[in-house]
């Protein structure tokens, strides 16, 4: 296999099914050597199976590529370190980390249990942090040894994290955290040759089969806007050496549409020059709100 990622080494988490599977296949198609990580859990994070990861590895190898399976829990700090070490020991280094693993437990806020909150925050937010932390340490050590790599991190946020989604408060909070983590990591890691970006995909996966089933249905003919494979070419380019000038960005992808998210930015402001009185805040804040754009509707509103 030859392409824009020829000879580069990648880890893709949650790569046994859905978006992660498509990412792993696309990276391999462009010449990357891929560590295919998947815990093999259900959509709710239950059960274990090594079969999804091994099936993707077999598919990559059958097409002439190089890949190995990994069954680490990405939110386990030590297991994430061992996953990074596996890539380095197997393929001689690491250039690309695609954080994709996750699951959902949709609940209205008033019905969300502590266990559900902890589980979703853990797999999404800590499951991004732990692999990033160990990959970043490796890239920093390489840079200090004058072996700076053209390293890339591609995280996975969501429209739910950017605009909000009714019935997905926990998931939205985790995905918003990932967007913020992406910005900080991009600012901190640039000195070591690392770019950090995030994608916000809209695609048909196990996680969208429930609340967005009608929107996600495959068409009888024509372009399948919701096929998860539509997202992966953006991931492949962001993972390439050509993308060295793009960092700290969130890119939304749906079908053939890509959109650069603006995110939080300072808007209208007024400095009173002294402490505001509570009575004056209402008039002052309403004046600023009239100048500000209206927020986008929360999904499901």
């Amino acid at each position: 296999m030859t392409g824009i990622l020829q000879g580069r080494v990648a880890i893709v988490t949650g790569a046994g099914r859905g978006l992660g599977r498509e990412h792993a296949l696309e990276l391999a198609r462009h010449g990357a050597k891929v560590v295919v990580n998947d815990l093999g859990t259900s959509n709710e994070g239950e059960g274990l199976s090594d079969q999804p990861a091994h099936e993707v590895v077999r598919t990559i190898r059958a097409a002439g590529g190089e890949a190995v399976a990994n069954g680490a829990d990405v939110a386990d700090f030590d297991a994430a370190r061992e996953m990074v070490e596996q890539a380095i020991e197997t393929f001689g280094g690491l250039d690309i980390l695609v954080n994709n693993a996750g699951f959902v437990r949709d609940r209205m806020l008033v019905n969300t249990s502590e266990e559900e909150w902890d589980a979703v925050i853990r797999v999404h937010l800590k499951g991004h942090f732990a692999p990033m932390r160990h990959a970043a340490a490796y890239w920093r050590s390489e840079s200090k040894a004058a072996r700076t790599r053209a390293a890339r991190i591609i995280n996975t946020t969501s429209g739910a994290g950017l605009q909000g989604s009714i019935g997905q408060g926990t998931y939205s909070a985790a995905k918003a955290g990932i967007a913020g983590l992406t910005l900080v990591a991009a600012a901190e890691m640039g000195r070591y040759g690392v770019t950090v970006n995030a994608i916000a995909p809209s695609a048909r996966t196990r996680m969208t089969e429930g609340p967005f089933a009608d929107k996600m249905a495959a068409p009888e003919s024509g372009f399948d806007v919701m096929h998860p494979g539509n997202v992966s070419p953006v991931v492949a380019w962001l993972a390439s050496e050509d993308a060295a000038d793009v960092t700290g960005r969130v890119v939304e992808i749906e079908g053939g549409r890509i959109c650069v998210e603006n995110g939080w930015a300072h808007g209208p402001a007024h400095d009173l020059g002294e402490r505001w009185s509570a009575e004056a805040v209402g008039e002052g804040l309403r004046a600023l709100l009239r100048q500000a754009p209206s927020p986008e509707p929360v999904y499901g509103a």
Side-chain angles (χ1 to χ4, degrees):
M1 294 185 176
T2 60
I4 62 173
L5 304 176
Q6 186 63 36
R8 289 168 67 72
V9 179
I11 293 171
V12 183
T13 71
R17 303 181 179 94
L19 283 164
R21 180 181 189 276
E22 295 296 330
H23 297 342
L25 296 177
E26 182 75 4
L27 297 187
R29 193 175 296 120
H30 286 282
K33 304 169 185 179
V34 185
V35 176
V36 178
N37 162 267
D38 202 279
L39 198 55
T41 66
S42 71
N43 194 37
E44 294 76 29
E46 299 169 346
L48 300 173
S49 173
D50 62 0
Q51 290 308 302
H54 283 287
E55 187 278 326
V56 175
V57 168
R58 286 192 293 270
T59 301
I60 290 172
R61 289 177 176 174
E66 296 183 59
V68 293
N70 175 276
D73 174 355
V74 293
D76 181 308
F77 197 71
D78 291 335
R81 173 181 50 77
E82 291 168 359
M83 179 176 65
V84 170
E85 290 172 351
Q86 180 186 9
I88 296 166
E89 292 167 3
T90 303
F91 295 125
L94 177 65
D95 305 291
I96 302 157
L97 171 62
V98 180
N99 283 313
N100 168 77
F103 57 77
V104 294
R105 294 186 182 179
D106 292 342
R107 294 285 188 277
M108 290 294 193
L109 183 62
V110 296
N111 294 323
T112 301
S113 70
E114 182 180 15
E115 182 276 332
E116 289 166 336
W117 172 273
D118 288 346
V120 172
I121 295 296
R122 179 183 182 275
V123 71
H124 286 282
L125 199 48
K126 189 177 179 183
H128 272 61
F129 159 71
M132 288 174 67
R133 162 63 175 78
H134 295 300
Y138 166 69
W139 289 323
R140 181 179 62 179
S141 67
E142 288 290 281
S143 177
K144 288 184 176 181
R147 295 190 299 265
T148 299
R149 304 181 78 95
R152 307 284 181 263
I153 297 174
I154 299 97
N155 292 328
T156 306
T157 182
S158 167
L162 304 173
Q163 282 86 38
S165 180
I166 289 177
Q168 294 188 315
T170 310
Y171 177 75
S172 295
K175 289 303 190 182
I178 289 167
L181 181 61
T182 297
L183 301 180
V184 174
E188 292 182 352
M189 296 304 298
R191 72 193 72 179
Y192 306 122
V194 184
T195 68
V196 188
N197 295 286
I199 58 167
S202 182
R204 184 173 55 255
T205 69
R206 290 188 300 166
M207 289 198 293
T208 58
E209 285 176 348
F212 306 111
D214 293 341
K215 179 181 179 182
M216 299 296 168
E220 294 182 2
S221 62
F223 177 41
D224 185 355
V225 174
M226 290 300 152
H227 192 286
N230 299 332
V231 177
S232 302
V234 178
V235 173
W237 184 80
L238 288 172
S240 72
E241 294 189 54
D242 187 44
D245 59 329
V246 180
T247 194
R249 297 290 191 168
V250 176
V251 182
E252 185 182 48
I253 310 111
E254 180 177 329
R257 176 182 177 272
I258 58 176
C259 171
V260 177
E261 295 285 326
N262 284 327
W264 290 104
H266 293 299
H270 176 64
D271 186 349
L272 192 62
E274 60 185 16
R275 180 184 297 177
W276 287 81
S277 69
E279 293 80 4
V281 168
E283 181 181 351
L285 186 54
R286 285 196 176 95
L288 295 177
L289 290 171
R290 286 193 291 271
Q291 301 173 48
S294 298
E296 293 191 26
V298 172
Y299 290 118

